[in-house]
Amino acid sequence: LLEVRGVTKIYRTGDGELRALDHVSFTVLRGEFVAIMGHSGSGKSTMMNVLGCLDSPTDGTYRLDGRDVGHLSRDELARVRNEKIGFVFQGFHLLPRATALENVELPLLYAGVSSRLRGTRASAMLDRVGLEHRKGHRPNQMSGGQQQRVAIARALVADAPLILADEPTGNLDSHTSDEIMELFAALHREGKTVVLVTHEADIAAWARRVLRFADGRLVEDLSTPGR
Amino acid sequence: LLEVRGVTKIYRTGDGELRALDHVSFTVLRGEFVAIMGHSGSGKSTMMNVLGCLDSPTDGTYRLDGRDVGHLSRDELARVRNEKIGFVFQGFHLLPRATALENVELPLLYAGVSSRLRGTRASAMLDRVGLEHRKGHRPNQMSGGQQQRVAIARALVADAPLILADEPTGNLDSHTSDEIMELFAALHREGKTVVLVTHEADIAAWARRVLRFADGRLVEDLSTPGR
Ligand SMILES: Nc1ncnc2c1ncn2[C@@H]1O[C@H](COP(=O)(O)OP(=O)(O)OP(=O)(O)O)[C@@H](O)[C@H]1O
Ligand SMILES: Nc1ncnc2c1ncn2[C@@H]1O[C@H](COP(=O)(O)OP(=O)(O)OP(=O)(O)O)[C@@H](O)[C@H]1O
Ligand SMILES: [Mg+2]
Ligand SMILES: [Mg+2]
């Protein structure tokens, strides 16, 4: 499903050149459950932005579902994202003046789903992340962990085949984290491909494979057989 | 130093009344190192906002350094915050168009510190959180964990006697987390009072006392003798 070959990402700043990603190569097959780990600043979010078609590499190729996305137009990339990817951002990126329900409905609005069905599906997904009593609240009326769960619900509502989650449990207590990981595991059993960035070994243990980054390079690719 | 008596915080929303804090009482002495834990939505950030003079309770009293802050004007509260409190926010709240250095200098600017001295002290604090090479970068040019460390540096730069940190290691790998906790521990040994919210038992273990919240109530107050 995901084929990364020699991907490099270079930022030019006032004081020179920064290699956020450095010749990264790996393949993720459909239906895998992968964790990405590494120190702060090692390139994890940058890698996720490439996988999520939000950013293009400076060098190398990325094929999603067999298709080289490096040469698609902005509109084509937006369509690929809407149809194939559910993305949980490290910084949430919720609409501040919309309610939790409106935020979660957004991907369904882009997909042209009817108003009644959008409401039903967004409402059900908010129930699944434990926010049944926060649907009419706006982000600034919610705790950090509640905002994070709205971001998770939004990423999952359109039933996309690929789920990319950047630190989805960073603001959650261990009990709520377990509930969210159970949800990701259930979606994985249904056939979804899940790639999540985490700093915690307990969370990475839910995955079958860990990709470890350091200084923009992929330094370790470890699979755990038959879990 | 911190005297909380019967503090209650009620939010009124479209569908009724929400008790974010419910008759919370505890005392923190000067020089203590306290961790606050509890489920997502249990009232931890709301409690921190009261302790940090950013929000006033609906009922009950809060005395900081012997002074009842519930009846201070906005200007007086701002002065108390600038003189006594270093606050690390769960959502960072960095100025997006300022560099890391400018963001960290901000509390010193409010305190009337000279331009040359501000630069020196902000630069030194960024070194201490491992960001020596990011001083000229703006938040959107940094990773999540780097932004979190800028927020930490900003909270510590004015050498305030009370440090309030809301999930300061949520976006940090375990190695960088340890470095940040070593920094808080060092400041604690120098005599600072530290209160930090965390979801992780490993991080709470650095404190000498844990306050556990559930549904807006303080349900457990556990001290670990002689560490
Ligand atoms: N402005 C507001 N209006 C209505 N409800 C609010 C408001 N701010 C917070 N709340 C509610 O108050 C409760 C406590 O919120 P708080 O942010 O203190 O939780 P928390 O313990 O910090 O959670 P987390 O671990 O997820 O950060 C939550 O249920 C939240 O939805
Ligand atoms: N727009 C940008 N301009 C310059 N440098 C950037 C930019 N965006 C990211 N970087 C740098 O690229 C490197 C990788 O960033 P990235 O966000 O991928 O790290 P990360 O592994 O997700 O870190 P964290 O665990 O802290 O979230 C960092 O050193 C960061 O400072
Ligand atoms: Mg990141
Ligand atoms: Mg909080």
Side-chain angles (χ1 to χ4, degrees):
Chain A
L1 183 66
L2 313 179
E3 222 184 301
V4 176
R5 289 253 175 85
V7 160
T8 295
K9 181 73 186 179
I10 295 173
Y11 289 109
R12 289 202 162 72
T13 58
D15 36 67
E17 170 183 294
L18 199 153
R19 293 198 161 236
L21 293 173
D22 193 356
H23 295 94
V24 178
S25 297
F26 62 88
T27 299
V28 174
L29 302 174
R30 189 178 300 279
E32 279 198 67
F33 193 157
V34 182
I36 291 180
M37 300 188 81
H39 282 199
S40 173
S42 59
K44 306 178 298 297
S45 295
T46 305
M47 189 70 250
M48 293 289 270
N49 287 340
V50 171
L51 294 177
C53 299
L54 289 158
D55 205 2
S56 48
T58 314
D59 204 3
T61 53
Y62 169 48
R63 304 177 89 84
L64 171 61
D65 233 357
R67 195 177 176 196
D68 185 339
V69 294
H71 302 116
L72 298 186
S73 71
R74 286 186 61 152
D75 286 352
E76 286 170 313
L77 283 172
R79 262 189 58 204
V80 169
R81 288 196 302 268
N82 293 336
E83 288 172 14
K84 301 206 179 234
I85 304 168
F87 205 123
V88 186
F89 296 94
Q90 187 169 10
F92 316 159
H93 297 316
L94 302 177
L95 297 180
R97 282 174 289 180
T99 64
L101 194 74
E102 289 162 346
N103 266 285
V104 177
E105 283 187 7
L106 205 56
L108 301 178
L109 186 65
Y110 286 143
V113 175
S114 77
S115 158
R116 190 183 63 75
L117 207 55
R118 281 203 311 267
T120 308
R121 290 172 61 177
S123 189
M125 195 53 77
L126 282 165
D127 290 347
R128 283 182 89 172
V129 297
L131 292 179
E132 49 282 330
H133 302 302
R134 291 286 178 282
K135 293 173 191 169
H137 287 213
R138 280 183 296 285
N140 69 354
Q141 295 175 316
M142 288 187 241
S143 76
Q146 291 166 347
Q147 291 175 30
Q148 187 156 40
R149 283 180 279 160
V150 174
I152 292 167
R154 182 183 59 186
L156 305 181
V157 74
D159 211 36
L162 172 64
I163 297 166
L164 300 176
D166 198 344
E167 311 253 12
T169 62
N171 283 283
L172 302 177
D173 59 276
S174 51
H175 175 75
T176 313
S177 278
D178 284 348
E179 291 179 344
I180 291 301
M181 292 312 295
E182 288 284 359
L183 177 53
F184 283 130
L187 293 165
H188 174 237
R189 284 193 296 272
E190 284 172 27
K192 305 263 182 276
T193 307
V194 181
V195 181
L196 62 82
V197 172
T198 181
H199 284 311
E200 298 181 53
D202 296 353
I203 301 297
W206 289 78
R208 309 283 163 89
R209 178 181 175 197
V210 177
L211 300 174
R212 189 175 301 276
F213 282 77
D215 301 316
R217 291 186 304 282
L218 178 62
V219 296
E220 193 176 70
D221 185 342
L222 196 68
S223 285
T224 318
R227 241 220 213 100
Chain B
L1 185 67
L2 312 179
E3 223 182 300
V4 177
R5 289 252 175 85
V7 161
T8 296
K9 181 73 188 180
I10 296 175
Y11 289 110
R12 292 205 159 69
T13 60
D15 37 71
E17 170 183 295
L18 200 155
R19 290 195 165 240
L21 293 173
D22 192 356
H23 295 95
V24 178
S25 299
F26 62 88
T27 299
V28 174
L29 302 174
R30 190 178 300 278
E32 283 200 63
F33 194 156
V34 182
I36 291 179
M37 301 188 80
H39 283 199
S40 173
S42 58
K44 306 179 297 296
S45 295
T46 305
M47 187 72 249
M48 293 290 270
N49 287 339
V50 170
L51 294 177
C53 298
L54 289 159
D55 204 2
S56 49
T58 315
D59 204 2
T61 53
Y62 168 48
R63 303 178 91 85
L64 170 62
D65 232 357
R67 195 178 176 194
D68 184 340
V69 294
H71 303 114
L72 298 186
S73 71
R74 287 185 60 152
D75 285 351
E76 286 170 312
L77 283 173
R79 263 189 57 203
V80 169
R81 288 196 302 267
N82 294 336
E83 289 171 12
K84 303 204 178 234
I85 304 169
F87 205 124
V88 186
F89 296 94
Q90 187 170 9
F92 314 161
H93 297 316
L94 300 178
L95 298 180
R97 282 174 288 177
T99 63
L101 194 73
E102 289 163 348
N103 266 285
V104 176
E105 284 187 6
L106 204 58
L108 301 177
L109 186 66
Y110 286 141
V113 175
S114 77
S115 159
R116 189 181 63 74
L117 207 53
R118 281 203 310 267
T120 308
R121 291 172 59 177
S123 189
M125 194 54 77
L126 282 164
D127 290 346
R128 285 183 86 172
V129 297
L131 293 178
E132 49 281 326
H133 301 303
R134 291 286 177 280
K135 293 172 188 169
H137 288 212
R138 280 181 298 283
N140 69 353
Q141 294 175 314
M142 289 186 241
S143 77
Q146 290 164 348
Q147 293 174 30
Q148 186 154 42
R149 283 181 278 161
V150 174
I152 291 166
R154 182 184 60 186
L156 305 181
V157 74
D159 211 37
L162 173 62
I163 297 166
L164 301 176
D166 197 344
E167 309 253 14
T169 62
N171 283 283
L172 302 176
D173 58 277
S174 48
H175 175 75
T176 312
S177 276
D178 284 349
E179 292 180 342
I180 291 301
M181 292 312 296
E182 288 284 358
L183 178 52
F184 284 129
L187 293 165
H188 173 238
R189 283 193 295 273
E190 284 171 28
K192 306 262 181 278
T193 307
V194 182
V195 181
L196 61 83
V197 172
T198 181
H199 285 309
E200 296 181 54
D202 298 355
I203 299 299
W206 288 78
R208 309 283 163 88
R209 177 182 175 196
V210 177
L211 300 173
R212 189 175 303 277
F213 283 76
D215 301 318
R217 290 186 307 281
L218 178 61
V219 297
E220 194 176 69
D221 186 344
L222 197 68
S223 288
T224 318
R227 244 219 212 99

